[in-house]
């Protein structure tokens, strides 16, 4: 399926459907730019909200400041889009998130299973990979975006791309008229873009957080929301790579380590232990383990030196690792160190370990002292690194913080402050680890926000 947002024509639809689209677009122009629901932000959350509201019969417009939709979505999962996490039990699933309880109602409406059905019925089959990560069978994130786009298109969503919303106008309720049971301060009357004003009965805000600002999510909406009376929990970069001070670690770039664990320590106190897959990069550490660990280090990082201890063999004790290495060296006593431990670690990992141990790899295994051997064992079980820096928003996969969940109705995604405003996606103060968890938030909250915004029309 191909489409061009620039000229508004789509390929992949039948002739009859194309004519219907053209007709509907023409009719909408006559009706002028007054909509039932206006969705701001064309990421996964906004596209889902717009499609669902339109499917429920509302006249919907979607405003996106980029010339294309889903710019960040296309980057997810390295272009493969890890769209959700395989999970049957939504009660268990929400426990993984910060402010997870808030998500329970939305996940019941659009669970990972429902989501996979949603995409299957739109031609995108999905598969489950290691650690429950769900991807499209095609390994193409573009297929996910195409399906969403067609969902909106077929339900006659009006698209305004290259339209940045720069302000939101608000009508304040008379304080005497505010009913005690509803604390609404008023309602949005219109949004102002750089080119026009657009008004609607209901508004869905899906402008994302502040991470990867080059994709369009700059977090400017947080300032409007504070102006409208919402509380915004300070947005912080989350799921970021970790810069490491030691040069040998940086020199090991390209090295990967699966099912390993890292313990973070500060002033001799354990902060956290995290398990998973790790990648060494020219700046230090990346991969799911480093990203997930980084969220737990942000607050303590400012407080003092932070040490990481990498355990390459978490399933084995120190003594067991020592025994394996001792036996290997005994069996290969006349071989160079570089020809030992071949079944125990990759050549690249061994090279790093021998470098850190300061050992000459031409030395025969039989000539190593016990002290040298214990140095190697220690490096397998407790490789020490110093955190130099945590990356900021420019490399953050998600934003921690956002609109306070206390001010959003979890059943509808409706603001408790502004009566005709709804929220969807990363703008909300909820976040999860890597593995499809964060897109699951976008789909579920987007679906619920879109549906709720069509009620009481
Ligand atoms: C490199 C990378 C890889 C990732 N991989 C995964 C993954 O595999 N799985 C996973 O679950 N999550 C992943 N994530 C996280 C996931 O992409 C986000 O959580 C998700 O995109 C958030 O969706 P959203 O719709 O809330 O916001 P966004 O995707 O940020 O979309 C917001 C949209 O609003 C538009 N906008 C902003 N302000 C305005 C305005 N004033 N006027 C008009 N439009 C506006 C923006 O241009 C943007 O298009 C990844 C993130 C990154 C950066």
């Amino acid at each position: 399926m191909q489409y061009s947002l620039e000229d508004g024509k789509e390929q992949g639809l039948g002739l009859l459907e194309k004519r219907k689209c053209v007709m509907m677009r023409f009719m909408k122009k006559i009706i002028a730019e007054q909509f039932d629901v206006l969705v701001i932000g064309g990421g996964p959350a906004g596209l889902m909200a717009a499609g669902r509201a339109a499917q429920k019969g509302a006249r919907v417009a979607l405003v996106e400041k980029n010339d294309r939709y889903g710019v960040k979505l296309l980057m997810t999962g390295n272009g493969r889009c890890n769209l959700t996490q395989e999970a049957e039990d939504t009660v268990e699933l929400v426990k993984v998130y910060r402010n997870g309880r808030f998500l329970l109602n939305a996940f019941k409406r659009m669970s990972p299973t429902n989501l996979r059905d949603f995409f299957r019925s739109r031609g995108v089959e999905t598969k489950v990979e290691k650690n429950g990560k769900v991807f499209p069978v095609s390994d193409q994130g573009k297929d996910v975006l195409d399906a969403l786009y067609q969902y909106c298109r077929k339900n006659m969503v009006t698209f305004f791309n290259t339209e940045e919303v720069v302000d939101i106008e608000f009508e304040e309720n008379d304080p005497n008229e505010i009913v005690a049971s509803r604390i609404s301060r008023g309602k949005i009357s219109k949004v102002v873009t750089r080119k026009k004003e657009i008004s609607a009965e209901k508004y869905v805000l899906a402008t994302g957080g502040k991470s990867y600002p080059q994709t369009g999510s700059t977090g400017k909406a947080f300032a409007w929301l504070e102006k409208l009376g919402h509380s915004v929990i300070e947005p912080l970069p989350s799921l970021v790579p970790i810069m490491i001070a030691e040069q040998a670690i940086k020199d090991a770039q390209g090295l990967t380590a699966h099912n390993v664990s890292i313990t973070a320590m500060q002033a001799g106190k354990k902060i956290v232990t995290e398990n998973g897959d790790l990648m060494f990069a020219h700046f230090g550490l990346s991969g799911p383990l480093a990203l997930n660990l980084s969220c737990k280090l942000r607050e303590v990082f400012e407080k003092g030196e932070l040490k990481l201890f990498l355990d390459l063999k978490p399933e084995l004790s120190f003594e067991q690792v020592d025994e394996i290495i001792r036996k290997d060296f005994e069996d290969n006593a006349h071989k160079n160190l570089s020809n030992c431990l071949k079944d125990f670690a990759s050549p690249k990992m061994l090279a790093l370990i021998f470098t850190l141990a300061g050992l000459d790899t031409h030395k025969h295994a039989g000539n190593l002292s016990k002290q040298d051997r214990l140095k190697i064992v220690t490096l397998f079980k407790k490789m020490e690194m110093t955190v130099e820096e945590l990356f900021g928003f420019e490399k953050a996969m998600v934003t921690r913080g956002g609109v306070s969940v206390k001010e959003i109705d979890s059943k509808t995604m409706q603001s408790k402050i502004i009566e005709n405003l709804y929220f969807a996606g990363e703008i909300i103060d909820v976040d999860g680890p890597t593995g499809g968890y964060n897109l699951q938030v976008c789909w579920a909250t987007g679906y619920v926000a879109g549906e709720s915004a069509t009620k009481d029309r």
Side-chain angles (χ1 to χ4, degrees):
M1 181 84 66
Q2 287 183 344
Y3 53 82
S4 155
L5 295 169
E6 284 68 32
D7 61 14
K9 291 186 183 113
E10 53 288 299
Q11 288 145 37
L13 293 184
L15 190 64
L16 211 63
E17 277 173 313
K18 271 188 188 169
R19 280 201 182 136
K20 207 169 132 195
C21 284
V22 172
M23 193 66 163
M24 287 301 289
R25 243 175 266 139
F26 178 69
M27 294 285 288
K28 277 177 178 167
K29 281 209 173 112
I30 294 175
I31 300 166
E33 288 176 350
Q34 165 69 42
F35 296 91
D36 297 325
V37 179
L38 179 66
V39 179
I40 309 169
L47 285 162
M48 181 60 99
R52 182 58 181 156
Q55 189 183 22
K56 294 289 281 178
R59 278 180 307 145
V60 180
L62 177 62
V63 185
E64 166 57 52
K65 71 177 179 194
N66 291 328
D67 59 351
R68 290 167 301 136
Y69 296 87
V71 171
K72 193 182 280 180
L73 181 64
L74 287 177
M75 296 167 71
T76 59
N78 287 324
R80 294 171 60 220
C81 186
N82 174 198
L83 70 161
T84 188
Q85 172 69 207
E86 161 89 334
E88 292 290 328
D89 185 347
T90 44
V91 177
E92 278 305 306
L93 177 61
V94 298
K95 289 184 184 161
V96 174
Y97 294 86
R98 215 171 42 84
N99 289 331
R101 276 181 66 81
F102 170 82
L103 294 168
L104 198 55
N105 287 310
F107 279 17
K108 283 191 173 149
R109 290 288 294 121
M110 180 56 92
S111 67
T113 310
N114 300 147
L115 182 81
R116 295 180 69 190
D117 290 343
F118 172 92
F119 279 108
R120 183 178 304 116
S121 67
R122 288 167 179 81
V124 183
E125 290 290 341
T126 54
K127 60 180 173 180
V128 183
E129 293 192 0
K130 190 181 163 197
N131 299 328
K133 294 179 178 182
V134 177
F135 292 90
V137 167
S138 65
D139 286 328
Q140 297 290 318
K142 190 178 172 298
D143 292 347
V144 173
L145 179 59
D146 281 346
L148 271 179
Y149 180 72
Q150 289 308 329
Y151 178 48
C152 291
R153 206 81 207 169
K154 284 183 179 166
N155 288 298
M156 304 303 159
V157 171
T158 299
F159 290 95
F160 294 114
N161 52 304
T162 333
E163 284 278 8
E164 180 175 2
V165 172
V166 288
D167 202 7
I168 291 184
E169 290 193 12
F170 170 71
E171 277 168 17
E172 195 143 9
N173 284 341
D174 179 341
N176 300 322
E177 284 177 9
I178 299 175
V179 197
S181 58
R182 279 193 75 171
I183 54 164
S184 158
R185 285 190 55 214
K187 58 186 200 174
I188 294 174
S189 51
K190 62 182 165 199
V191 301
V192 183
T193 76
R194 293 199 187 278
K195 300 177 203 156
K196 57 171 85 134
E197 293 180 348
I198 314 171
S199 54
E201 279 177 34
K202 309 275 178 73
Y203 297 82
V204 179
L205 204 47
T207 46
K210 291 180 80 168
S211 61
Y212 270 70
Q214 67 275 24
T215 63
S217 8
T218 51
K220 282 189 190 159
F222 293 132
W224 310 326
L225 288 167
E226 283 182 319
K227 206 171 78 180
L228 297 179
H230 260 289
S231 317
V232 174
I233 310 301
E234 187 193 2
L236 292 172
S238 197
L239 300 181
V240 294
I242 302 172
M243 284 185 233
I244 295 293
E246 287 79 7
Q247 190 57 42
I249 301 294
K250 300 180 190 186
D251 290 344
Q253 64 171 295
L255 177 63
T256 52
H258 299 284
N259 303 322
V260 295
S261 104
I262 291 183
T263 298
M265 310 270 297
Q266 192 166 54
K269 196 172 142 235
K270 177 179 157 179
I271 308 294
V272 67
T273 297
E274 192 75 37
N275 303 296
D277 297 341
L278 191 65
M279 280 167 60
F280 290 68
H282 64 279
F283 51 79
L285 302 178
S286 189
L289 169 50
L291 299 178
N292 289 335
L293 181 69
S294 72
C295 333
K296 293 157 188 163
L297 302 183
R298 177 83 45 196
E299 276 167 30
V300 286
F301 177 66
E302 303 298 334
K303 294 186 183 159
E305 191 180 57
L306 203 48
K307 290 280 184 190
L308 303 183
F309 295 93
L310 168 63
D311 185 347
L312 292 165
K313 300 285 174 189
E315 72 289 0
L316 299 176
S317 68
F318 188 94
E319 290 70 26
Q320 285 168 321
V321 172
D322 187 28
E323 183 51 26
I324 290 168
I325 294 177
R326 194 195 57 73
K327 177 90 177 31
D328 191 284
F329 286 174
E330 200 177 274
D331 294 347
N332 297 295
H334 300 298
K335 288 188 183 165
N336 286 347
L337 205 47
S338 54
N339 287 318
C340 297
L341 298 172
K342 292 203 155 179
D343 296 333
F344 198 52
S346 68
K348 255 190 136 176
M349 184 58 82
L350 289 171
L352 171 64
I353 286 178
F354 296 145
T355 304
L356 289 170
L359 294 171
D360 175 1
T361 50
H362 294 104
K363 210 170 179 178
H364 281 180
N367 293 338
L368 284 184
S369 64
K370 182 178 175 191
Q371 203 187 5
D372 285 339
R373 195 186 74 228
L374 291 179
K375 256 195 223 171
I376 296 173
V377 180
T378 306
L379 283 161
F380 267 105
K381 288 296 292 173
K382 234 181 151 193
M383 188 186 289
E384 184 176 331
M385 306 172 199
T386 316
V387 178
E388 192 174 55
E389 190 63 79
L390 298 172
F391 277 94
F393 281 116
E394 76 286 1
K395 287 259 188 266
M397 269 173 78
V398 289
T399 303
R400 167 159 294 195
V403 184
S404 169
V405 294
K406 292 189 186 138
E407 296 172 358
I408 306 172
D409 180 340
S410 67
K411 288 199 177 78
T412 58
M413 298 299 137
Q414 186 177 12
S415 161
K416 292 180 183 171
I417 310 278
I418 310 294
E419 64 194 48
N420 62 346
L421 178 61
Y422 297 76
F423 295 101
E426 201 174 310
I427 193 168
I428 305 171
D429 178 26
V430 201
D431 60 275
T434 58
Y437 294 96
N438 291 297
L439 280 175
Q440 174 60 32
V441 172
C442 299
W443 311 128
T445 55
Y447 190 84
V448 170
E451 187 168 278
S452 316
T454 60
K455 301 235 168 87
D456 310 323
R457 280 192 305 114

